[in-house]
Amino acid sequence: MKAMPVRMRAGRMREQRVQKSDFDGLTTQHAMNSTVTDEPSVPLALASASPRRRELLAYLGVPFRIIATDAEEHDHLPPPAIVAALPPLALPLFDHPTLRAWRKAHAACASAPDSVIIGADTIVALEGDVLNKPVDPDDARRMLRRLSGKTHTVYTGLAVIDARRTDALPLFDLVASQVTIDTLSDADIAAYVATGEPLDKAGAYGIQDLGGRLVRSVVGSYTCVVGLPLVATWRLLRAAGMTGLRDPAEGYRRWLRDRGKEIPPCPPTLP
Ligand SMILES: Cc1cn([C@H]2C[C@H](O)[C@@H](COP(=O)(O)OP(=O)(O)OP(=O)(O)O)O2)c(=O)[nH]c1=O
């Protein structure tokens, strides 16, 4: 992305605008030519610093701005109405990805009072434990040793808030995909961790990059694993009244094509 002035706000909030002329990296040419289709009916904001989320959301074809917060680190109790509306999940409330997504979207409201705001959060769950982002390479090696040869669940929670109507309940979703990791030797793990790729990823792997080589199968949404399930995102944004969005299956195909990837067999792997 062309460096845009980043406005600092209280509470470590950063803001950028993503629009037609504003894509970078791997998909610059494709994104500029084919990603943004229309002006949205309501301004859209993504409450996330994740480059994966920014990239995937762009494939739904509407411009948006980015507001990154440190809200997921907050642990204050949310309002009871929010807790009651969360999709059921047999994990501690503090780890609930939809609650964490809500914390991000909620924290961004003051910066985008005219917008629909989407937050997302991804965790890896294995045998009742939650694996977040590793704190260091040792932690990444430990996580990958645990995931080796097993099937785990990747959950991505979504929260959409219309900041113009803060009295209304947010829209929530929780998407789960089953990922099976190959049996990995210590040398495989060491080589992968040495790439540095695992450090900013839940569960210490990135399926969309080199980590894809560690994965034997995905059952469910592929983009849930990457951090932003496109079909569920599309559905929530439509429910929030947004128009001009590209069909998510088409966005997924374009994203795969621009990354030079084959379309995984469908089903069991879906957008
Ligand atoms: C399992 C997996 C996770 N991930 C990423 C998605 C998320 O960016 C990250 C999980 O951390 P999150 O806390 O969900 O997100 P984040 O800290 O990157 O961004 P923000 O809080 O600002 O929204 O792991 C992949 O990129 N590929 C994968 O295969």
Side-chain angles (χ1 to χ4, degrees), residues 47-50 52-53 69 72 100 104 120-122 124 133 154 200-202 205-208 225-227:
S48 173
S50 161
R52 279 78 54 175
R53 296 201 175 107
T69 77
E72 71 188 298
R100 286 157 49 154
K104 296 178 198 185
D121 193 84
T122 302
V124 163
K133 292 183 280 193
V154 179
D200 65 343
K201 317 261 178 358
Y205 71 93
I207 195 170
Q208 69 279 19
V225 184
V226 186

mmCIF file of all heavy atoms in Angstrom, residues 47-50 52-53 69 72 100 104 120-122 124 133 154 200-202 205-208 225-227, ligand 1:
data_model
loop_
_atom_site.group_PDB
_atom_site.id
_atom_site.type_symbol
_atom_site.label_atom_id
_atom_site.label_comp_id
_atom_site.label_asym_id
_atom_site.label_seq_id
_atom_site.Cartn_x
_atom_site.Cartn_y
_atom_site.Cartn_z
ATOM 1 N N ALA A 47 -11.680 -3.011 11.491
ATOM 2 C CA ALA A 47 -10.989 -2.762 12.768
ATOM 3 C C ALA A 47 -9.919 -3.831 12.959
ATOM 4 O O ALA A 47 -10.061 -4.736 13.779
ATOM 5 C CB ALA A 47 -12.004 -2.788 13.911
ATOM 6 N N SER A 48 -8.858 -3.740 12.193
ATOM 7 C CA SER A 48 -7.824 -4.776 12.237
ATOM 8 C C SER A 48 -6.534 -4.264 11.626
ATOM 9 O O SER A 48 -6.564 -3.509 10.652
ATOM 10 C CB SER A 48 -8.291 -6.000 11.445
ATOM 11 O OG SER A 48 -7.255 -6.944 11.327
ATOM 12 N N ALA A 49 -5.424 -4.739 12.181
ATOM 13 C CA ALA A 49 -4.124 -4.424 11.597
ATOM 14 C C ALA A 49 -3.627 -5.575 10.728
ATOM 15 O O ALA A 49 -2.533 -5.510 10.184
ATOM 16 C CB ALA A 49 -3.112 -4.162 12.717
ATOM 17 N N SER A 50 -4.421 -6.640 10.620
ATOM 18 C CA SER A 50 -3.939 -7.838 9.931
ATOM 19 C C SER A 50 -3.866 -7.609 8.419
ATOM 20 O O SER A 50 -4.888 -7.312 7.789
ATOM 21 C CB SER A 50 -4.879 -9.008 10.234
ATOM 22 O OG SER A 50 -4.705 -10.020 9.265
ATOM 23 N N ARG A 52 -3.621 -9.861 6.240
ATOM 24 C CA ARG A 52 -4.463 -10.892 5.580
ATOM 25 C C ARG A 52 -5.903 -10.423 5.504
ATOM 26 O O ARG A 52 -6.579 -10.584 4.497
ATOM 27 C CB ARG A 52 -4.419 -12.212 6.360
ATOM 28 C CG ARG A 52 -3.224 -13.067 6.101
ATOM 29 C CD ARG A 52 -1.981 -12.620 6.791
ATOM 30 N NE ARG A 52 -2.115 -12.445 8.225
ATOM 31 C CZ ARG A 52 -1.116 -12.140 9.045
ATOM 32 N NH1 ARG A 52 0.086 -11.926 8.578
ATOM 33 N NH2 ARG A 52 -1.308 -12.006 10.324
ATOM 34 N N ARG A 53 -6.399 -9.847 6.590
ATOM 35 C CA ARG A 53 -7.801 -9.386 6.584
ATOM 36 C C ARG A 53 -7.980 -8.259 5.579
ATOM 37 O O ARG A 53 -8.978 -8.206 4.865
ATOM 38 C CB ARG A 53 -8.216 -8.938 7.986
ATOM 39 C CG ARG A 53 -8.199 -10.069 8.961
ATOM 40 C CD ARG A 53 -9.037 -9.872 10.203
ATOM 41 N NE ARG A 53 -8.975 -11.119 10.932
ATOM 42 C CZ ARG A 53 -8.286 -11.293 12.068
ATOM 43 N NH1 ARG A 53 -7.661 -10.283 12.642
ATOM 44 N NH2 ARG A 53 -8.236 -12.488 12.626
ATOM 45 N N THR A 69 -6.692 -1.257 16.497
ATOM 46 C CA THR A 69 -6.736 -0.928 17.926
ATOM 47 C C THR A 69 -6.028 -2.044 18.698
ATOM 48 O O THR A 69 -5.749 -3.097 18.142
ATOM 49 C CB THR A 69 -8.179 -0.856 18.450
ATOM 50 O OG1 THR A 69 -8.660 -2.187 18.613
ATOM 51 C CG2 THR A 69 -9.102 -0.112 17.504
ATOM 52 N N GLU A 72 -8.254 -6.105 21.603
ATOM 53 C CA GLU A 72 -8.397 -7.521 21.957
ATOM 54 C C GLU A 72 -7.676 -7.844 23.258
ATOM 55 O O GLU A 72 -7.928 -8.872 23.878
ATOM 56 C CB GLU A 72 -7.888 -8.403 20.828
ATOM 57 C CG GLU A 72 -6.389 -8.366 20.670
ATOM 58 C CD GLU A 72 -5.951 -9.090 19.415
ATOM 59 O OE1 GLU A 72 -6.199 -10.290 19.323
ATOM 60 O OE2 GLU A 72 -5.348 -8.450 18.554
ATOM 61 N N ARG A 100 -13.818 -11.110 21.022
ATOM 62 C CA ARG A 100 -12.597 -10.352 20.708
ATOM 63 C C ARG A 100 -12.808 -9.507 19.449
ATOM 64 O O ARG A 100 -12.331 -8.365 19.347
ATOM 65 C CB ARG A 100 -11.411 -11.304 20.577
ATOM 66 C CG ARG A 100 -10.995 -11.776 21.972
ATOM 67 C CD ARG A 100 -10.239 -13.084 22.057
ATOM 68 N NE ARG A 100 -9.118 -13.259 21.181
ATOM 69 C CZ ARG A 100 -8.083 -14.071 21.459
ATOM 70 N NH1 ARG A 100 -8.038 -14.719 22.624
ATOM 71 N NH2 ARG A 100 -7.123 -14.225 20.609
ATOM 72 N N LYS A 104 -12.704 -5.259 19.148
ATOM 73 C CA LYS A 104 -11.975 -4.477 18.137
ATOM 74 C C LYS A 104 -12.932 -3.503 17.430
ATOM 75 O O LYS A 104 -12.623 -2.308 17.283
ATOM 76 C CB LYS A 104 -11.338 -5.420 17.101
ATOM 77 C CG LYS A 104 -10.271 -6.348 17.684
ATOM 78 C CD LYS A 104 -9.721 -7.294 16.607
ATOM 79 C CE LYS A 104 -9.015 -8.477 17.225
ATOM 80 N NZ LYS A 104 -8.374 -9.364 16.233
ATOM 81 N N ALA A 120 -12.653 -8.821 13.411
ATOM 82 C CA ALA A 120 -12.524 -10.276 13.289
ATOM 83 C C ALA A 120 -11.402 -10.740 14.212
ATOM 84 O O ALA A 120 -10.495 -9.964 14.549
ATOM 85 C CB ALA A 120 -12.202 -10.664 11.845
ATOM 86 N N ASP A 121 -11.492 -11.981 14.628
ATOM 87 C CA ASP A 121 -10.435 -12.547 15.470
ATOM 88 C C ASP A 121 -10.340 -14.053 15.201
ATOM 89 O O ASP A 121 -11.363 -14.720 15.052
ATOM 90 C CB ASP A 121 -10.731 -12.304 16.952
ATOM 91 C CG ASP A 121 -9.506 -12.601 17.799
ATOM 92 O OD1 ASP A 121 -8.643 -11.699 17.928
ATOM 93 O OD2 ASP A 121 -9.385 -13.737 18.298
ATOM 94 N N THR A 122 -9.113 -14.541 15.149
ATOM 95 C CA THR A 122 -8.877 -15.949 14.795
ATOM 96 C C THR A 122 -8.102 -16.646 15.896
ATOM 97 O O THR A 122 -7.089 -16.112 16.380
ATOM 98 C CB THR A 122 -8.079 -16.015 13.472
ATOM 99 O OG1 THR A 122 -8.821 -15.323 12.465
ATOM 100 C CG2 THR A 122 -7.837 -17.454 13.034
ATOM 101 N N VAL A 124 -6.773 -20.817 17.200
ATOM 102 C CA VAL A 124 -6.641 -22.246 16.910
ATOM 103 C C VAL A 124 -6.970 -22.983 18.203
ATOM 104 O O VAL A 124 -6.464 -22.624 19.272
ATOM 105 C CB VAL A 124 -5.196 -22.532 16.431
ATOM 106 C CG1 VAL A 124 -4.866 -24.008 16.517
ATOM 107 C CG2 VAL A 124 -5.017 -22.027 14.999
ATOM 108 N N LYS A 133 -1.330 -16.304 18.980
ATOM 109 C CA LYS A 133 -0.070 -16.095 18.271
ATOM 110 C C LYS A 133 1.085 -16.457 19.204
ATOM 111 O O LYS A 133 1.041 -16.130 20.397
ATOM 112 C CB LYS A 133 0.034 -14.638 17.834
ATOM 113 C CG LYS A 133 -0.992 -14.304 16.761
ATOM 114 C CD LYS A 133 -0.872 -12.903 16.269
ATOM 115 C CE LYS A 133 -1.515 -11.936 17.215
ATOM 116 N NZ LYS A 133 -1.710 -10.602 16.677
ATOM 117 N N VAL A 154 -9.907 -24.207 13.596
ATOM 118 C CA VAL A 154 -9.621 -22.766 13.528
ATOM 119 C C VAL A 154 -10.966 -22.047 13.593
ATOM 120 O O VAL A 154 -11.863 -22.322 12.789
ATOM 121 C CB VAL A 154 -8.888 -22.380 12.229
ATOM 122 C CG1 VAL A 154 -8.627 -20.876 12.193
ATOM 123 C CG2 VAL A 154 -7.572 -23.145 12.109
ATOM 124 N N ASP A 200 3.408 -14.133 13.654
ATOM 125 C CA ASP A 200 2.210 -13.284 13.796
ATOM 126 C C ASP A 200 0.944 -14.043 13.414
ATOM 127 O O ASP A 200 -0.056 -13.438 13.019
ATOM 128 C CB ASP A 200 2.346 -12.004 12.960
ATOM 129 C CG ASP A 200 2.406 -12.291 11.465
ATOM 130 O OD1 ASP A 200 2.665 -13.458 11.084
ATOM 131 O OD2 ASP A 200 2.197 -11.350 10.672
ATOM 132 N N LYS A 201 0.966 -15.372 13.564
ATOM 133 C CA LYS A 201 -0.194 -16.168 13.154
ATOM 134 C C LYS A 201 -0.682 -17.031 14.316
ATOM 135 O O LYS A 201 0.119 -17.685 15.004
ATOM 136 C CB LYS A 201 0.175 -17.110 11.993
ATOM 137 C CG LYS A 201 1.042 -16.487 10.913
ATOM 138 C CD LYS A 201 0.215 -16.061 9.741
ATOM 139 C CE LYS A 201 0.954 -15.390 8.609
ATOM 140 N NZ LYS A 201 2.361 -15.126 8.668
ATOM 141 N N ALA A 202 -1.998 -17.088 14.488
ATOM 142 C CA ALA A 202 -2.576 -17.984 15.498
ATOM 143 C C ALA A 202 -2.153 -19.416 15.171
ATOM 144 O O ALA A 202 -2.187 -19.828 14.002
ATOM 145 C CB ALA A 202 -4.099 -17.864 15.464
ATOM 146 N N TYR A 205 1.138 -20.983 12.289
ATOM 147 C CA TYR A 205 1.314 -21.284 10.863
ATOM 148 C C TYR A 205 0.411 -20.378 10.029
ATOM 149 O O TYR A 205 -0.594 -19.863 10.528
ATOM 150 C CB TYR A 205 1.020 -22.765 10.548
ATOM 151 C CG TYR A 205 -0.430 -23.149 10.647
ATOM 152 C CD1 TYR A 205 -1.260 -23.114 9.524
ATOM 153 C CD2 TYR A 205 -0.993 -23.511 11.860
ATOM 154 C CE1 TYR A 205 -2.607 -23.449 9.610
ATOM 155 C CE2 TYR A 205 -2.336 -23.835 11.959
ATOM 156 C CZ TYR A 205 -3.145 -23.796 10.830
ATOM 157 O OH TYR A 205 -4.476 -24.108 10.922
ATOM 158 N N GLY A 206 0.804 -20.201 8.776
ATOM 159 C CA GLY A 206 -0.015 -19.433 7.837
ATOM 160 C C GLY A 206 -0.337 -20.322 6.654
ATOM 161 O O GLY A 206 0.528 -20.601 5.829
ATOM 162 N N ILE A 207 -1.585 -20.757 6.577
ATOM 163 C CA ILE A 207 -1.966 -21.722 5.535
ATOM 164 C C ILE A 207 -1.781 -21.133 4.139
ATOM 165 O O ILE A 207 -1.519 -21.852 3.179
ATOM 166 C CB ILE A 207 -3.425 -22.185 5.751
ATOM 167 C CG1 ILE A 207 -3.715 -23.443 4.932
ATOM 168 C CG2 ILE A 207 -4.426 -21.078 5.426
ATOM 169 C CD1 ILE A 207 -5.040 -24.092 5.256
ATOM 170 N N GLN A 208 -1.908 -19.799 4.043
ATOM 171 C CA GLN A 208 -1.879 -19.153 2.733
ATOM 172 C C GLN A 208 -0.469 -18.964 2.209
ATOM 173 O O GLN A 208 -0.292 -18.623 1.048
ATOM 174 C CB GLN A 208 -2.587 -17.793 2.813
ATOM 175 C CG GLN A 208 -1.877 -16.726 3.624
ATOM 176 C CD GLN A 208 -2.093 -16.830 5.136
ATOM 177 O OE1 GLN A 208 -2.479 -17.875 5.660
ATOM 178 N NE2 GLN A 208 -1.822 -15.755 5.849
ATOM 179 N N VAL A 225 -9.612 -19.764 7.956
ATOM 180 C CA VAL A 225 -8.281 -20.101 8.481
ATOM 181 C C VAL A 225 -7.328 -18.912 8.284
ATOM 182 O O VAL A 225 -6.509 -18.593 9.144
ATOM 183 C CB VAL A 225 -7.727 -21.387 7.808
ATOM 184 C CG1 VAL A 225 -6.399 -21.784 8.431
ATOM 185 C CG2 VAL A 225 -8.739 -22.525 7.904
ATOM 186 N N VAL A 226 -7.488 -18.235 7.159
ATOM 187 C CA VAL A 226 -6.595 -17.094 6.860
ATOM 188 C C VAL A 226 -6.955 -15.866 7.711
ATOM 189 O O VAL A 226 -6.126 -14.975 7.886
ATOM 190 C CB VAL A 226 -6.654 -16.761 5.350
ATOM 191 C CG1 VAL A 226 -5.632 -15.698 4.982
ATOM 192 C CG2 VAL A 226 -6.408 -18.013 4.504
ATOM 193 N N GLY A 227 -8.171 -15.839 8.264
ATOM 194 C CA GLY A 227 -8.487 -14.754 9.191
ATOM 195 C C GLY A 227 -9.731 -13.953 8.873
ATOM 196 O O GLY A 227 -10.147 -13.110 9.669
HETATM 197 C C1 LIG B 1 -4.222 -20.170 11.353
HETATM 198 C C2 LIG B 1 -3.833 -18.909 10.588
HETATM 199 C C3 LIG B 1 -3.878 -17.653 11.186
HETATM 200 N N1 LIG B 1 -3.501 -16.540 10.489
HETATM 201 C C4 LIG B 1 -3.531 -15.201 11.095
HETATM 202 C C5 LIG B 1 -4.854 -14.452 10.941
HETATM 203 C C6 LIG B 1 -4.723 -13.367 11.990
HETATM 204 O O1 LIG B 1 -4.079 -12.228 11.387
HETATM 205 C C7 LIG B 1 -3.787 -13.986 13.029
HETATM 206 C C8 LIG B 1 -4.511 -14.226 14.339
HETATM 207 O O2 LIG B 1 -4.420 -13.086 15.122
HETATM 208 P P1 LIG B 1 -5.623 -12.108 15.436
HETATM 209 O O3 LIG B 1 -5.438 -11.666 16.851
HETATM 210 O O4 LIG B 1 -6.920 -12.730 15.057
HETATM 211 O O5 LIG B 1 -5.409 -10.884 14.451
HETATM 212 P P2 LIG B 1 -4.183 -9.900 14.309
HETATM 213 O O6 LIG B 1 -3.529 -9.619 15.630
HETATM 214 O O7 LIG B 1 -3.290 -10.418 13.197
HETATM 215 O O8 LIG B 1 -4.880 -8.595 13.753
HETATM 216 P P3 LIG B 1 -5.958 -7.641 14.519
HETATM 217 O O9 LIG B 1 -6.046 -8.067 15.967
HETATM 218 O O10 LIG B 1 -5.448 -6.262 14.369
HETATM 219 O O11 LIG B 1 -7.252 -7.873 13.781
HETATM 220 O O12 LIG B 1 -3.343 -15.253 12.495
HETATM 221 C C9 LIG B 1 -3.078 -16.642 9.159
HETATM 222 O O13 LIG B 1 -2.718 -15.633 8.539
HETATM 223 N N2 LIG B 1 -3.056 -17.871 8.560
HETATM 224 C C10 LIG B 1 -3.395 -19.019 9.200
HETATM 225 O O14 LIG B 1 -3.338 -20.121 8.587
#
